[in-house]
Amino acid sequence: ADVALIKGKLGDHMGNLTYRLAGRNFNPLMAMAAETTIAQVSELVEPGGIEPEQVVTPGIFVDRLVEVAVPQQEEVLVREGVEY
């Protein structure tokens, strides 16, 4: 893949990521397979803020990070009838 857009729960400024629930299934694989990886995280912490044992995707595979503190869940938006 040329670009992977992935969503993580927690990330640090070095690009290390953790996931919530099923996000752990395919996001790490896509980050490793893509030439460029852009990750959206719910919380961005300083390096060292994630325990090494909890890191699922190492920062070497992440090129850009975007913090979205309270992300909208698509299924909730669909139920509310939001059009975009």
Side-chain angles (χ1 to χ4, degrees):
D2 291 329
V3 178
L5 303 173
I6 61 175
K7 186 175 181 180
K9 179 181 183 218
L10 187 64
D12 66 15
H13 294 284
M14 301 298 290
N16 298 310
L17 301 174
T18 65
Y19 302 97
R20 183 177 171 271
L21 302 175
R24 203 178 167 132
N25 292 343
F26 295 107
N27 286 334
L29 296 173
M30 289 307 300
M32 288 185 251
E35 189 171 321
T36 302
T37 301
I38 302 169
Q40 172 188 321
V41 293
S42 299
E43 185 180 355
L44 193 58
V45 297
E46 293 298 319
I50 303 173
E51 292 293 323
E53 296 83 21
Q54 294 177 346
V55 173
V56 179
T57 301
I60 190 83
F61 299 113
V62 179
D63 299 297
R64 302 281 187 265
L65 282 170
V66 178
E67 180 182 21
V68 180
V70 185
Q72 294 287 322
Q73 295 296 326
E74 188 171 0
E75 60 270 10
V76 174
L77 294 173
V78 169
R79 273 188 244 128
E80 292 174 352
V82 175
E83 294 182 21
Y84 51 94

